[in-house]
Amino acid sequence: MASIEVNGKSYETDEEGYLINLADWTEEVGNYLAQTESVVMTEAHWEVINFLRDYYNEFQIAPAVRVLTKAIGKKLGPDKGTSQYLYELFPYGPAKQACKIAGLAKPTGCV
Amino acid sequence: MLHIVNKSPAERNALESCLRVAQDGGAILLIEDAVYAATRGNAAENHLRDAMSRFKVYALAPDLEARGMHERVMEGVTTVDYGGFVDLVAQHKNCQSWL
Amino acid sequence: MSEGTVKKFMFVNRKAPYGTVYALESLEVVLITAAFDQDVSLVFMDDGVFQLKQGQQTKGIENKNFSPTYRALDGYDIEKLYVEEESLAARGLTEDDLLVDVTVMSRAELGNLMEEQDVVLSF
């Protein structure tokens, strides 16, 4: 099993670097995962990450991109509910990359 | 609509549920362990006989033969081979497999 | 799938949630199907109605509790959830015991609906 080390503590990940245990996640771990994805975290990034974590806690799944986009638009305003906005923040795919930083498993149906 | 059932009526409720929900005029094809339902003396015999007024009932011959039950098929049940299975699927607009 | 051809897909769920993997597998296929903009409906009958029972707590069996995910279906534009009346009654359940809004229907209504489908998938 692969693992990452953040502040001297080791966390299990799968081969693609997704956290195995959702409960392991901390903001520091999120920052570390963002670095591995070459994403520089801003407030706008955290807004999406926190949204994803809330969504996961409520529904126990990571949303599909289309669903994420729609839900973000509803919660954070229509200007943010576009795939363009989300891809600007997470160039390699909001679902895939943002989910990883948020400590979630890869979304169902996401290749 | 073609309904396909593959579980023994003594073990699972698939046939029972199928007969409960299926609309008149449909066809029921019994395959694998469900072929026991189409044999004389089984506990579901009367149930299936009642259903024959509402549906056309088929059973897959290779499955009956494999189980040594081909001599005991109830009257009114049409046995089909694999080619007949394919024909039934093709003849109907849609089908539902009752797992 | 080519654009403009919307087909009717019905998922028929007849198994209880944790004893076998059918319920979870069905839910995952449903979520994937949602991406194709088809006319999707879900049926819960027989022990399948137990999938929607409120208050599932799976900590003790060390299984993932996927019941909250049924509440996400609305966000996936999957709004047609049908429950067979007799199956509920036979298990001592009513609509109020379920964790999502559903349409309760008789076996005849359900049978009619099934006839209308292009594709019926069983779990």
Side-chain angles (χ1 to χ4, degrees), chain C:
Chain C
M1 265 165 236
S2 62
E3 266 181 64
T5 52
V6 174
K7 287 194 170 188
K8 290 187 167 192
F9 284 78
M10 174 181 275
F11 290 82
V12 181
N13 299 285
R14 296 182 47 245
K15 305 275 198 286
Y18 302 105
T20 64
V21 79
Y22 285 98
L24 179 57
E25 292 280 318
S26 171
L27 188 54
E28 292 196 336
V29 177
V30 166
L31 291 171
I32 292 166
T33 308
F36 297 104
D37 286 326
Q38 300 296 301
D39 180 349
V40 175
S41 58
L42 273 58
V43 167
F44 299 86
M45 61 179 289
D46 295 325
D47 281 352
V49 302
F50 286 133
Q51 293 175 26
L52 301 181
K53 175 71 178 64
Q54 273 178 19
Q56 297 175 36
Q57 294 172 10
T58 59
K59 216 170 169 186
I61 60 169
E62 295 184 7
N63 270 38
K64 177 173 167 157
N65 178 3
F66 54 87
S67 66
T69 307
Y70 294 103
R71 294 203 190 98
L73 292 174
D74 191 48
Y76 280 74
D77 296 323
I78 295 172
E79 289 148 353
K80 296 176 180 172
L81 274 58
Y82 304 115
V83 174
E84 193 217 8
E85 204 167 15
E86 286 191 26
S87 298
L88 272 184
R91 286 158 185 80
L93 298 176
T94 67
E95 204 176 334
D96 294 340
D97 293 307
L98 306 181
L99 50 78
V100 279
D101 287 336
V102 299
T103 305
V104 175
M105 52 171 58
S106 70
R107 61 192 198 179
E109 287 173 296
L110 180 56
N112 275 328
L113 206 60
M114 202 175 270
E115 294 276 347
E116 287 172 15
Q117 302 300 314
D118 293 301
V119 181
V120 182
L121 295 147
S122 296
F123 289 90

Side-chain angles (χ1 to χ4, degrees), chain A residues 24-103:
Chain A
D24 281 349
W25 191 89
T26 63
E27 223 173 279
E28 289 79 56
V29 171
N31 267 317
Y32 178 89
L33 292 166
Q35 276 171 37
T36 67
E37 292 287 323
S38 306
V39 171
V40 180
M41 296 297 283
T42 66
E43 206 171 305
H45 289 86
W46 283 113
E47 210 173 38
V48 175
I49 297 301
N50 289 328
F51 179 89
L52 269 175
R53 291 190 58 82
D54 288 346
Y55 186 97
Y56 191 92
N57 280 331
E58 188 173 355
F59 300 121
Q60 300 296 305
I61 47 164
V65 182
R66 185 176 62 94
V67 178
L68 174 69
T69 312
K70 205 169 79 177
I72 290 244
K74 222 185 240 175
K75 177 115 187 257
L76 305 177
D79 51 323
K80 294 179 179 176
T82 67
S83 57
Q84 194 195 346
Y85 175 77
L86 294 171
Y87 270 94
E88 272 166 21
L89 295 175
F90 304 99
Y92 286 91
K96 201 169 167 182
Q97 215 167 22
C99 282
K100 189 175 189 175
I101 298 167

